[in-house]
Amino acid sequence: MDFVGKALWYIETHFEDDITLDDIAAVAGISKFHLVRAFGTCFGKSVMRYVRERRLTEAAKRLARTDDGILDVALQFGYNSHEAFTRAFKAQFGVTPVSIPRARSTDAIKLVEPFRMNEIPTPEPLEPRIESGDAMLFVGLKRRYNDDTSAQIPAQWQAFQPYIGNIERQIGNATFGVMCNSDDEGNIDYLSAVEVSALDDNVPKLDVLRVSPQIYAVFTHDGDVSEIRRTWKAIFGTWSQNTDYKLVDGPQFERYGENFDPKSGDGDIEIWIPVH
C-alpha cells in the first residue's frame, strides 16, 4: 500500500477520533508537506477537509438512523459543543443537523463517501533526470489558493503575462509556476514567475522568492498543460513509491521552457521536485 493509501486507511479507521495531519503523515511515512500535495493532487481536496467531510457524513447517517441526540452525536464525532457541530454541519451540507432526524433520511444532502484507491487511474511509470540546481531568484506574482480557488491560477498567469520579457535581468524566456508554503488545510502559495540574475529597482510591485541550491528530480510532461495533473499523480504515485530518492520539503515548480506555447498550452513543460 502506498502512502496515500495508508493515509486513506488511517482516516477511515480513525475519523471519529481527534486525529491531526501530523498523525496521518506519521502513519503514511511521509512529511506533512508532501502528504498535503499528494492527497490534493490525487483527490482534488486537502487531507483535513476530507477528514471533516467524512466525519460529518457519518454523523449525518447516525442522526438519520438512531435516536441519539445532536449533542451526543456531536461529541462522538469530535465536536465539543452543539453550536460548533451545527456550524460545521451547515457549512458542509447547507442545512442544520436538526433537519436530519426529523426527516429520518440523508436524501436531501450530498454525502461524502470514502475514496477508494482504485478510483485513481494508474499512470505510466516516469523516469526523471537528476539535476543539481544552483540557487535561483524568482520574480513574479504570488497568490494563495485552496481546493476551491485553484481554478483561478490561469487568470493569474494572464495578469502576469505583460511582465514576461520586461523584467530587468531576466534569465532566458522560460517561465515558472512555483508552489510553496502549504499549510495543514491545503492552502498553498503559487508564484507565476521568471528567473532573474539579481533584483532591480523596477520590480517593487512584484513578489520575490529565493530558492537555495538543491538537487531535483526533473520530469518531462508529455502533453497539453491542461493534462499536467496526470504527471503530478504519476510523480506522487508510482515514482515516489519506487525510488531511492527522498522527497524534500521545499518549493516545487513547473518550468515552461523556451518552446512552450502559452496560446495552445503545448510543448516544453517540466516538473522539478526537490530530492536528496
Side-chain angles (χ1 to χ4, degrees):
M1 187 183 296
D2 65 21
F3 60 78
V4 176
K6 290 177 181 177
L8 281 176
W9 176 260
Y10 184 74
I11 291 167
E12 290 304 321
T13 55
H14 291 82
F15 60 71
E16 290 187 19
D17 302 332
D18 186 21
I19 58 175
T20 66
L21 185 62
D22 290 290
D23 298 329
I24 301 168
V27 170
I30 193 170
S31 73
K32 292 194 301 180
F33 176 85
H34 285 107
L35 178 60
V36 168
R37 292 282 296 118
F39 200 95
T41 297
C42 289
F43 298 117
K45 64 179 65 178
S46 71
V47 184
M48 298 313 294
R49 175 178 173 181
Y50 177 69
V51 171
R52 287 193 300 273
E53 290 178 345
R54 287 291 300 125
R55 184 179 286 155
L56 288 165
T57 288
E58 296 304 317
K61 292 178 181 179
R62 185 72 52 85
L63 288 171
R65 68 172 183 256
T66 72
D67 293 323
D68 294 348
I70 292 176
L71 181 57
D72 292 333
V73 173
L75 294 172
Q76 183 174 356
F77 284 89
Y79 292 88
N80 58 14
S81 72
H82 187 296
E83 292 76 16
F85 179 66
T86 297
R87 284 195 301 271
F89 197 96
K90 188 171 183 180
Q92 179 165 327
F93 298 121
V95 298
T96 59
V98 71
S99 65
I100 303 302
R102 285 176 181 170
R104 285 292 182 184
S105 170
T106 58
D107 290 347
I109 61 177
K110 184 177 181 180
L111 301 177
V112 177
E113 300 296 352
F115 284 133
R116 310 276 181 199
M117 287 308 297
N118 59 12
E119 293 175 357
I120 309 175
T122 302
E124 295 182 6
L126 298 178
E127 191 60 44
R129 73 178 189 272
I130 304 300
E131 291 271 354
S132 182
D134 295 329
M136 287 181 279
L137 181 61
F138 293 116
V139 172
L141 293 178
K142 181 175 69 176
R143 294 174 184 167
R144 194 155 183 82
Y145 294 95
N146 58 29
D147 305 331
D148 298 321
T149 61
S150 60
Q152 299 171 16
I153 288 176
Q156 177 177 329
W157 275 105
Q158 185 174 347
F160 182 60
Q161 195 68 33
Y163 293 98
I164 300 173
N166 295 309
I167 296 175
E168 292 294 330
R169 306 186 189 187
Q170 178 176 329
I171 299 174
N173 294 316
T175 57
F176 300 82
V178 188
M179 288 146 280
C180 58
N181 301 326
S182 67
D183 62 20
D184 291 4
E185 294 298 319
N187 302 302
I188 194 166
D189 286 344
Y190 185 92
L191 179 72
S192 303
V194 296
E195 187 180 5
V196 299
S197 58
L199 292 180
D200 194 83
D201 292 339
N202 74 337
V203 293
K205 295 181 180 179
L206 298 177
D207 297 287
V208 175
L209 178 67
R210 298 178 186 272
V211 177
S212 301
Q214 177 65 55
I215 297 172
Y216 293 92
V218 181
F219 300 84
T220 298
H221 170 64
D222 183 17
D224 187 271
V225 67
S226 64
E227 301 171 335
I228 200 166
R229 184 180 288 268
R230 167 173 50 84
T231 303
W232 279 104
K233 286 183 178 180
I235 293 169
F236 287 126
T238 53
W239 180 78
S240 66
Q241 303 305 313
N242 296 290
T243 183
D244 292 331
Y245 286 97
K246 303 298 182 183
L247 302 180
V248 172
D249 292 356
Q252 305 166 345
F253 55 86
E254 298 163 356
R255 182 184 185 276
Y256 302 95
E258 309 282 339
N259 297 319
F260 175 71
D261 182 351
K263 293 182 179 179
S264 68
D266 288 327
D268 201 2
I269 305 172
E270 294 178 336
I271 296 176
W272 290 52
I273 303 292
V275 297
H276 66 73

